[in-house]
Amino acid sequence: VILIIIKMKSKTQTIEVITSDSEHWYPSPKKKNVFYPSVTTINAVYPKGVGFNKYLTEQTSWESAQETLEEAGKRGTLVHLGTERLERGDVLHQEEYQINEWQRLMGFVNWFKIHQPILLKSEYKVVSDKYKTGGTIDRIYKIGDEHIILDIKTGKRMYKNYWLQVAAYEKLVTETKQFPKIDCLAVLRLTPLRKEYFEYVVSSDWTEDWKAFEACRVIWNLENGKDAKPKILTLPTELKL
């Protein structure tokens, strides 16, 4: 997945890009040629538990397991894009989606009608030199009198590392000083296995989740090096025989 174009060299007709199959990097907002691993990249070192590992081992091969994860990722992306379209006022049509994707979008509509959130930010990118990480926050809402960071998930269960992720987002958002104090963190899991097609959990205390994220950062640094950098490829901008 090509993430960031660093620079294009017109004389040699090449382009330098950051690319990786499993990591996302964000450029420093102030420092030139400095990149930080994303919140989700750091958070990935947190174990998802025996159930998740058992699910992967039940696949016929490593390749099959990766294909399953890729399909889940594609489904999640389609559902996320669908929720954005709904909030823009678009009308979605069932034939554009598979049944399990459509059920998840129904879950978003059901949740939205119940809670009537006021959208403050969608797909909000924020990067911190202080915390040396960055992320793209699904939503910042005002619901009632509370300002809430919300992450949309489409997984099979409510994994613990979801809360580490949104706890880190709160630190990044608070540092920007562009919003009122965040009152709550929330995860909205869209799932065909619930009657209303969603599970909505809100947290008002994420102290321990932030500590756990910091521990993940220590482990990530040990595995990758404190000064780890993204992989950079130099590629031609044209191909011909």
Side-chain angles (χ1 to χ4, degrees):
V1 178
I2 294 175
L3 301 169
I4 302 169
I5 297 174
I6 302 175
K7 56 186 175 180
M8 181 179 289
K9 301 176 182 178
S10 57
K11 291 183 179 179
T12 57
Q13 291 186 317
T14 62
I15 190 170
E16 290 185 354
V17 299
I18 292 177
T19 179
S20 172
D21 292 332
S22 60
E23 297 178 336
H24 294 168
W25 296 78
Y26 288 84
S28 163
K30 296 179 181 179
K31 301 177 182 179
K32 187 177 180 180
N33 295 325
V34 174
F35 298 88
Y36 301 126
S38 71
V39 167
T40 53
T41 295
I42 296 168
N43 198 29
V45 306
Y46 191 92
K48 285 194 172 181
V50 174
F52 180 79
N53 293 331
K54 183 175 182 292
Y55 171 73
L56 291 183
T57 57
E58 288 172 350
Q59 307 304 310
T60 56
S61 66
W62 169 257
E63 289 78 12
S64 176
Q66 294 307 301
E67 289 176 3
T68 299
L69 293 176
E70 287 176 11
E71 286 300 316
K74 291 177 183 177
R75 179 178 63 236
T77 298
L78 283 173
V79 172
H80 272 75
L81 292 173
T83 63
E84 291 174 44
R85 289 179 58 192
L86 286 166
E87 288 191 306
R88 289 197 300 266
D90 293 354
V91 177
L92 303 187
H93 300 279
Q94 193 278 316
E95 60 267 23
E96 299 174 353
Y97 299 92
Q98 295 182 17
I99 294 300
N100 61 17
E101 296 163 354
W102 190 247
Q103 289 171 309
R104 287 174 165 89
L105 289 167
M106 289 172 62
F108 182 76
V109 170
N110 291 338
W111 172 84
F112 195 95
K113 288 181 177 179
I114 293 170
H115 294 278
Q116 295 293 307
I118 297 172
L119 180 64
L120 302 180
K121 282 290 184 179
S122 177
E123 294 298 306
Y124 179 55
K125 290 182 173 59
V126 60
V127 189
S128 168
D129 286 314
K130 176 181 178 180
Y131 296 112
K132 293 181 169 49
T133 188
T136 302
I137 300 168
D138 286 345
R139 303 289 196 278
I140 302 178
Y141 284 125
K142 184 178 181 182
I143 301 178
D145 295 327
E146 296 181 324
H147 293 86
I148 295 177
I149 289 175
L150 180 140
D151 202 64
I152 298 171
K153 298 296 185 184
T154 57
K156 289 183 175 295
R157 57 178 58 86
M158 190 72 73
Y159 293 108
K160 176 61 180 175
N161 67 342
Y162 293 169
W163 298 102
L164 279 60
Q165 180 181 344
V166 288
Y169 287 163
E170 185 274 333
K171 290 290 184 182
L172 300 181
V173 169
T174 298
E175 189 188 15
T176 68
K177 298 180 180 179
Q178 294 183 14
F179 298 92
K181 179 179 178 296
I182 298 298
D183 300 295
C184 298
L185 305 180
V187 175
L188 174 61
R189 188 172 72 93
L190 304 176
T191 171
L193 302 179
R194 292 277 178 136
K195 183 179 179 180
E196 299 296 329
Y197 300 124
F198 73 85
E199 178 184 11
Y200 178 54
V201 183
V202 179
S203 172
S204 58
D205 182 3
W206 49 90
T207 304
E208 295 304 314
D209 297 313
W210 170 246
K211 289 179 181 178
F213 179 82
E214 288 185 302
C216 287
R217 183 58 190 254
V218 171
I219 295 170
W220 193 90
N221 286 345
L222 287 172
E223 290 288 332
N224 298 276
K226 186 176 180 180
D227 299 317
K229 297 179 180 180
K231 302 174 183 69
I232 298 175
L233 293 179
T234 301
L235 304 172
T237 58
E238 295 179 356
L239 292 175
K240 60 182 180 178
L241 297 178

